[in-house]
Amino acid sequence: MKKLSFITVSIRTGLVIGMVGSASIYAAQQPLAAIEVTAVKTNTTAQLDNTNQDEADTADEQEIERVEVTGSRIKAVDLEGVSPVVVINAEELAAKGFSTAFDALKDLTQNTGVTQGAESAAMGGFTPNAQTVSLRGLGNNQTLVLVNGRRMADYPSPYNGASNFVNLSGIPMAAIARIEVVTAGASAVYGSDAVAGVMNIITKKDVEDTTLSVKAGTTTEGGGDEARIQLVTGFSGDRFSLTTAIEYQHQQPIYSADRSFMDSVDDGPAGHQYLDRGIVVVDEMVRLGFYQDDEDTEDINEGRTLYRDPGEQNCTNSASGYEYSQRVIDEGTDDEYDYGFYCGVDLSGTRSIRNERDTVSAYVSGIYELTDDTELFADVMYTQQDAFIRSGFHYINSPIIEYRPNGDGNMAALADDDSKYEGAEFYDYHTEQRLFAEHELGFRDSEVEDTSLMMNVGVKGLLFDQYDWDITFSRSENENSQSSSQMKEELVRNLFLGDVGEFWAVDYSDGKGSVGIFDPITANTREQLIGRQLTTADSYSNSVTAVISGEAFELPAGDAYFALVAEWNKQGYDINLDDRMLNDSGMGWWNLTGTEGGGDRSRYAVGVELEAPLMAAMSLKLAGRYDQYDDDTSEVGGRFSPQLGLTYQPLDNVLLRASWSKSFRAPDMHRVFASDGGYYTVAVDLSACEDQYYQAERDENGDFPDDLEAFDPQQARCPTQSVKGNSKGSKTLKEEEGTNYGLGVVWDISDNLNMSFDWYTIELEQVVVGESVSSILQTEYYCKDRSNADPENPDYPFPVTERPDIVPGSAQCIENDAKISRSDSGFAGEQIDAVATSHLNAAKQTTEGVDAKIRYFTSTDFGDWTMQLAWTHTLDTSSQFDQESEEIHSRDLWWNFDARSTMNGHITWMQEELALTLSGRRVGSIPIWNQPEEFSDEDSYHFEQVQRLDPYYTFNFTAAYRVTEGLSMTAQVVNIFNPRPPKDESHTAWPYYNGGIYGGASIGRTVSAEIIYVF
């Protein structure tokens, strides 16, 4: 049975006691029949809108207007209902220092998951120009993104090469009126993707004034200058209105050379680090262990090191600017290991922190009244983004078997070991690696252009004076173009590596290229070698939606309301690679592959919602939606998503809510339609590394020493290697299924103070698992059968530490082993030819937590004060790969870097023409990058203790001053105190902190000023 934490038990118990207690208090104080309400309403809305009590009283005397709130198509009189909704209006966006919609959504406390941070995106990757968030830590594809209630097309290039998502960076701030976020599942209303929630970006309409704003800013540590110009205008006539917004934004790049704390290998938390390997020659026979444990010498490798000493002069002759360097790890300890000498370079200052980017956006919205009850509406949003990404140096890395006529080749060890290798002394087996400096071949840069267009056209009106209806056609499309600097495959071989061949079952190059590994690179070489690779992609989504809503029938406690929806949608995408990218005959791009893909799928849906007052203070919400997908694109078929919700108001100022719903997510388009393709990645072959470890420990009789230590995959010095992965889409994928539970309370403690508290649980099944090469190789290691028929001389003298989610001999292990293709490479042992990665419905995932918010408003002689604090705390997360494996509760485990808690808040003071806002965000503790060996558990894959980092705090400050009726000025400081992420001495790789959870931290403090003029 799952063991619940104290805080989990306390919160669950408190919710139940609070709901029952509130009901008892009300029953004792009030007869139910004495209260008549049209819909559940508390003072929360008044507080959120910053209206005073007099205005609220006046509104109560007028006819209550019902408006549509995200999460339901039934118009309501209040934001608070069955599902919790977070609202961020345009004024709050500006006051908190947000420059984009992404900034605002990233700040949500519900955004607890790891995503690709600014640092990793700036270095390239699949989607370097896109931005996204992960609500509840469930991934960026589990939240539905809408604009004015309509779906946006997916970004055409998949996130990390697999999942589809919506790019949040292309929505102009000038057009945003507010953002509404439903923090619960809503598939019963919106269909697929609304698993963790719904983000609805609502644009401006009915603008009468003209507003021009100019903003400029920079970082206090250098780089990253920004400028933005916005123009918003509109006008109206007797029967029409038109709103237009235009925005231009430019941001300069930031490089690690601009940051003194990350521009050198000496900046790592653990102190001095060795230089990056600029030019290195690796002795492969040493790596394979042929020179180890020689009895005639004290040196473990007979005086040889893994890196061959190039000599200082060769480093100088290369004209690369690299330094003659030595790499020694664990120096001064029993584990000291000397890798040897090489030509080193410090790459720290060459990396990118933020891309250079230009964004141009335009938005138009119009309304025309055909009759008093019918109007036409249309809105169009267009954005173009151009980005420049500096992605590191060009490089070569390839095994060489070189003929040595003098007979001094390192493969002589083979002849000593086996007579069949006679003559091997005339051959030398090594790997040559060279990073080409900027002045040699330039950076491996990329230019990315994204364009997006979204259009809604429709007609809406009032039928029989009581039914609202609308019919809308929506079109959303994206285009993406990526051009990058690459080396031509055939010229890499001709110039550096020579011909390809096979020697005693080892694939190799003969090293007879025209340019040696230490030769200078000429301008002519650069001109021949470098070309531009091009990838283009596009996506679209077409929808027709019809909605009718209004009063359904009358009940003793009040009117019931309904909404009916019918929807048709077709979506598609296409990824095209250039001819070289697809070439497999030696005329491609060096060490670069890719995957094309493309396809279309359509669906239709019908849905119904009903909200009915069961009694004066209790309302019931029922919703159901049926989505039918075309049968030839996946195994989804038809899917029904129900929702049941209750709201209960035991007191005028207390609202209790409970909900249950089913959600689903159709498989990602690219996971369905991806073509057969390959890619190269770096991984560790743990299984082979273990075999080599035990083989090297045997003596000449094949026995193990008495003091032999067990192979430890966490501490072993297993070399990384380039591994080819193969992947393709699958049309047999099923939908991911979710179940959502929610309990909450909203309490207006006083006219000026209100709070909300919500508990949630999301259970997902048939989660699509996107495999990686590393995960497959790691699973192979834990699946290995270590039983041996000869107990006196076992191959594996120690059992492996078990992983509860992997069972040796299970179907999971059998299927996993079949994905790895190995070949016998003779003396070099088994080598990995390729690893087949795929996508499958396998996993189960659960997350449970609480959201809390408190808001206070007061008016004094010294000004008006508004204070708000929001908090999200994850109580539990669990996962289970399949039915044969054990369920793992992972919230506190060493590999789970999702924040367990997040918090944000702000304080605003307004006095006449001046407004000041201080806002902040807290990210809770996460595990350090590598756990100490002493925390390991001999009997478990996990650690007995997990060392965690301190919470991370950032603060922003905004000052706004109205100079005249039309002129105002704003000054902002984002990240006032400019803290570094918590120090992690185990994180020795750049940027020396977890960029997935602290993404953008190295940007540092930014300051800006804005002038706003209203005509």
Side-chain angles (χ1 to χ4, degrees), residues 120 620 970:
S120 57
L620 169 70
T970 300

Side-chain angles (χ1 to χ4, degrees), residues 44 47-48 50 80 85-86 92 96 109-110 657 745-758 851-857 865-872 902-908:
T44 304
Q47 295 295 329
L48 288 172
N50 288 328
E80 300 295 353
V85 179
V86 177
E92 186 175 346
K96 286 189 173 184
T109 62
Q110 292 80 7
R657 56 189 171 203
V745 57
V746 181
W747 181 19
D748 282 351
I749 302 171
S750 68
D751 291 341
N752 298 333
L753 177 64
N754 63 76
M755 59 82 66
S756 64
F757 188 91
D758 288 277
D851 297 326
K853 183 171 66 176
I854 186 167
R855 186 180 180 94
Y856 178 72
F857 171 80
W865 295 82
T866 302
M867 288 164 274
Q868 179 174 298
L869 187 66
W871 173 64
T872 292
T902 54
M903 185 181 296
N904 69 25
H906 69 269
I907 300 174
T908 298

Side-chain angles (χ1 to χ4, degrees), residues 597-620:
D600 306 273
R601 72 179 175 201
S602 59
R603 62 172 172 82
Y604 67 82
V606 291
V608 60
E609 292 180 65
L610 178 66
E611 188 171 301
L614 300 181
M615 56 184 68
M618 180 179 290
S619 182
L620 169 70

Side-chain angles (χ1 to χ4, degrees), residues 568-740:
W568 169 86
N569 172 265
K570 185 174 183 179
Q571 63 180 139
Y573 85 111
D574 196 26
I575 299 176
N576 296 292
L577 309 178
D578 62 21
D579 292 339
R580 275 190 175 272
M581 197 79 158
L582 299 173
N583 185 281
D584 58 2
S585 60
M587 296 291 290
W589 299 110
W590 173 250
N591 210 29
L592 183 68
T593 61
T595 302
E596 290 192 313
D600 306 273
R601 72 179 175 201
S602 59
R603 62 172 172 82
Y604 67 82
V606 291
V608 60
E609 292 180 65
L610 178 66
E611 188 171 301
L614 300 181
M615 56 184 68
M618 180 179 290
S619 182
L620 169 70
K621 179 181 178 180
L622 297 173
R625 176 178 167 124
Y626 180 81
D627 288 81
Q628 177 67 47
Y629 285 78
D630 47 359
D631 294 330
D632 58 344
T633 59
S634 67
E635 294 295 324
V636 176
R639 173 71 181 176
F640 178 69
S641 303
Q643 181 185 27
L644 170 65
L646 283 172
T647 57
Y648 176 52
Q649 194 169 5
L651 301 172
D652 288 344
N653 61 339
V654 176
L655 171 70
L656 306 179
R657 56 189 171 203
S659 64
W660 168 89
S661 65
K662 290 286 188 178
S663 59
F664 80 100
R665 187 173 192 279
D668 289 298
M669 295 282 286
H670 194 62
R671 284 176 167 163
V672 174
F673 293 108
S675 305
D676 292 351
Y679 58 94
Y680 288 95
T681 187
V682 174
V684 173
D685 188 351
L686 283 176
S687 182
C689 186
E690 180 190 36
D691 292 344
Q692 293 171 5
Y693 171 79
Y694 286 127
Q695 184 61 34
E697 292 293 330
R698 295 182 185 274
D699 61 22
E700 59 184 9
N701 298 319
D703 297 324
F704 291 115
D706 294 336
D707 59 350
L708 176 68
E709 295 183 359
F711 174 79
D712 185 350
Q714 303 293 333
Q715 304 297 327
R717 296 193 184 100
C718 299
T720 58
Q721 56 183 293
S722 179
V723 180
K724 184 180 182 181
N726 295 322
S727 64
K728 63 178 181 180
S730 172
K731 293 187 178 181
T732 62
L733 291 175
K734 299 179 180 179
E735 73 274 20
E736 298 176 352
E737 300 177 359
T739 305
N740 300 66

